[in-house]
Amino acid sequence: MTFKAGLLAVFALLFSALPATAQEVVYLWDRGQPGFEARKDIPEQHAEWWWRSINNPSLTVLRPDPAKASRAAVIVVPGGGHRDLVFGEEGLKPAQYLQSQGVTAFALKYVLAREPGSPYSIQGDAQADLLRAIRYVRAHAADYDIDPDKIGVMGFSAGGELTSLVSFTPQGGTPNAADPIDRIDARPDFLIEIYPGPLGIPTSLDRAPPPAFFLSAYDDPMAVADFDMILKLYKKYPEVPYELHVLSGDGHGFNMGDRSKRKAVRDWPARLADWLTDMGYLAK
């Protein structure tokens, strides 16, 4: 064996011992989103930080190390103003962080209603993607070894609008639906919103909202104003626990905080892990 071949063999052995980040992609509908089946095979576009042309909505699944696994699941809904999808920084990265904490994470790619030429709507089609994702995860809870009553949603910016749309109103299934997945309740069991947009926040509720973790920066006027509306809803239900963090800066779109000069912003994912722990979602 040559020195070069031996060196390559050593590197191969070292890298084979490293834990792999398990990922799989699941498409939400076999034939594409209902009403838009003909668009299913239009290819996605991706460059730099954005993804566009999402026409076959999907979940990227990240399973935790079995030694650390809890039975909680979180569907991560990235932002991007419904024009782009910030799938790397606000989809995969948070999913990987949750995976490291023992959570089974699902990063959602949903249709973009404000992309130029888009035939989709936010409250019809993008919302339908998240509802379908929750139903899919709950229907396959046994396959992923998760508790069907510990399924949360985590939304950033425009993704926070979708999580609001599904969290604050009843989302019961259709009892006689041909697809069994559509018969399942799609209301999440807990809510995580990071600098959310304004859509989906109702003025009143017909029942208590799910436990929640909210986080934004004080100089993000949109998210802070939205939290004022959300907190009015939660104050009507004192038995529902929520946690609110307003950081000292960095505006809107700081993602997982890893590029920030502010320690509190860099460390905010740890505050989420604390909350998940205190709520019992990370218990093995």
Side-chain angles (χ1 to χ4, degrees):
M1 178 183 291
T2 65
F3 174 77
K4 182 178 180 181
L7 191 60
L8 290 173
V10 170
F11 280 135
L13 182 62
L14 288 173
F15 282 110
S16 67
L18 294 175
T21 299
Q23 292 187 21
E24 58 185 282
V25 175
V26 175
Y27 292 97
L28 296 181
W29 287 278
D30 293 337
R31 299 179 181 178
Q33 195 189 65
F36 300 97
E37 291 89 348
R39 299 179 61 87
K40 178 175 74 74
D41 296 321
I42 298 175
E44 294 179 2
Q45 300 174 14
H46 165 53
E48 300 176 336
W49 55 267
W50 56 260
W51 276 252
R52 296 174 189 152
S53 189
I54 309 299
N55 296 286
N56 196 10
S58 66
L59 290 169
T60 299
V61 188
L62 288 82
R63 302 180 189 235
D65 181 339
K68 296 182 63 176
S70 69
R71 287 176 53 79
V74 173
I75 298 165
V76 183
V77 192
H82 302 287
R83 293 176 298 274
D84 307 292
L85 202 66
V86 189
F87 187 67
E89 297 295 325
E90 295 181 351
L92 291 178
K93 275 191 177 180
Q96 289 166 347
Y97 180 77
L98 290 164
Q99 178 191 40
S100 74
Q101 301 301 306
V103 174
T104 303
F106 301 80
L108 175 66
K109 285 183 178 177
Y110 58 90
V111 297
L112 298 171
R114 292 177 181 157
E115 185 179 2
S118 170
Y120 305 113
S121 66
I122 296 173
Q123 290 173 270
D125 306 313
Q127 180 182 359
D129 290 343
L130 180 52
L131 291 171
R132 176 72 176 188
I134 297 168
R135 290 187 170 111
Y136 170 86
V137 172
R138 191 161 276 145
H140 292 85
D143 299 329
Y144 293 110
D145 195 24
I146 59 177
D147 186 335
D149 296 323
K150 289 185 177 180
I151 297 173
V153 291
M154 178 181 188
F156 291 77
S157 192
E161 295 182 324
L162 296 183
T163 58
S164 291
L165 284 167
V166 305
S167 297
F168 296 133
T169 55
Q171 302 294 348
T174 304
N176 299 320
D179 186 340
I181 291 178
D182 291 333
R183 304 172 194 167
I184 296 173
D185 190 280
R187 192 169 186 262
D189 299 301
F190 58 95
L191 171 64
I192 302 164
E193 291 204 345
I194 312 301
Y195 46 80
L199 289 180
I201 303 173
T203 56
S204 62
L205 297 175
D206 64 350
R207 60 172 170 169
F213 177 94
F214 303 114
L215 182 137
S216 74
Y218 93 98
D219 53 354
D220 181 349
M222 178 175 66
V224 171
D226 296 342
F227 286 160
D228 286 341
M229 297 170 60
I230 291 173
L231 294 183
K232 289 178 182 178
L233 300 175
Y234 275 83
K235 287 177 180 177
K236 296 178 181 178
Y237 300 91
E239 74 277 11
V240 179
Y242 69 87
E243 190 163 304
L244 172 65
H245 295 262
V246 179
L247 305 177
S248 61
D250 268 17
H252 190 82
F254 47 78
N255 312 136
M256 290 295 283
D258 50 332
R259 298 186 309 277
S260 178
K261 295 180 180 179
R262 297 176 183 270
K263 187 176 188 304
V265 177
R266 293 196 306 272
D267 290 350
W268 81 254
R271 305 291 73 75
L272 173 60
D274 292 342
W275 181 79
L276 291 168
T277 300
D278 290 342
M279 292 297 296
Y281 297 126
L282 299 187
K284 294 183 182 177

